[in-house]
Amino acid sequence: MYHCNDQVVYANYGVCDVTETETSMSYGPEDRLYYVLVPRRERGGKVYVPMDKEDLMRPVMSREEAVDLVKSIGSITPDPFRDNNSRTVEDHFKTKLRGSDCRTAIEVVITMRQRIAEQERKKHLPSSMYTRILDQAQRQVASELCAALGIEEPQLQSYIDTHKR
């Protein structure tokens, strides 16, 4: 159960503030209770999450967990998944990002950077799919790490460079 002013990570939205709980809305034959979330990165708008689907949310990691994660970035390896079907590849990585796990999102960032670099070495333009997935993964990582570490996004890369092993 989450409460007002809690910070949660929700699917592809990143860190959100819980602004209301137990908001009742009628859809179909019965009323459902919802959490009302306001994403930190998006200006305006609200996200309504049914309270019976709160397993799609999780608390923001602690500062200690974020510090440990940043220290371990150098040991995170790229995802080895490859397939000739670009749709299958995209689905694989989008599914990983939907899990909202920051470590997994970092793995996706590392993988996409590696694959884009491979394409550039072959003198190809980077795949738009890879750049889209990279952008989404970077937003998720930045959102949670900044919230957990209590820093602003422009400071994040410097923090990572200073503290990773």
Side-chain angles (χ1 to χ4, degrees):
M1 181 94 174
Y2 296 101
H3 302 91
C4 283
N5 301 319
D6 283 349
Q7 291 182 357
V8 297
V9 178
Y10 176 63
N12 295 331
Y13 290 91
V15 175
C16 299
D17 294 311
V18 178
T19 60
E20 297 176 48
T21 60
E22 299 187 29
T23 298
S24 181
M25 298 173 84
S26 294
Y27 286 106
E30 58 190 59
D31 287 348
R32 283 178 89 176
L33 296 177
Y34 290 80
Y35 291 105
V36 180
L37 310 179
V38 175
R40 287 264 177 108
R41 291 189 55 109
E42 305 297 325
R43 300 246 166 160
K46 295 178 181 179
V47 180
Y48 294 85
V49 180
M51 291 186 84
D52 59 345
K53 299 286 186 181
E54 77 175 24
D55 59 323
L56 300 173
M57 302 184 307
R58 66 173 174 76
V60 171
M61 72 175 79
S62 69
R63 177 174 177 74
E64 181 179 281
E65 291 169 323
V67 168
D68 290 345
L69 180 58
V70 168
K71 286 179 182 176
S72 74
I73 286 176
S75 66
I76 298 174
T77 58
D79 185 311
F81 181 82
R82 293 200 183 252
D83 194 280
N84 290 331
N85 183 323
S86 62
R87 184 69 179 158
T88 303
V89 173
E90 184 173 17
D91 289 346
H92 170 79
F93 287 104
K94 284 186 172 184
T95 298
K96 289 188 87 150
L97 291 175
R98 250 181 252 116
S100 299
D101 174 47
C102 196
R103 181 177 175 77
T104 301
I106 291 172
E107 178 185 293
V108 173
V109 167
I110 291 167
T111 304
M112 293 301 110
R113 285 182 178 165
Q114 179 189 55
R115 295 197 183 169
I116 289 169
E118 288 170 4
Q119 290 178 327
E120 290 173 340
R121 278 193 299 277
K122 294 177 183 177
K123 307 286 190 229
H124 296 135
L125 289 174
S127 159
S128 61
M129 174 194 54
Y130 287 165
T131 56
R132 269 192 326 273
I133 292 171
L134 174 60
D135 184 55
Q136 180 182 348
Q138 287 175 320
R139 283 193 320 260
Q140 282 184 228
V141 169
S143 176
E144 185 165 12
L145 285 180
C146 287
L149 294 169
I151 61 176
E152 296 297 320
E153 199 167 320
Q155 302 167 299
L156 182 60
Q157 191 58 54
S158 175
Y159 181 92
I160 291 171
D161 292 342
T162 304
H163 293 86
K164 78 176 182 181
R165 291 183 187 146

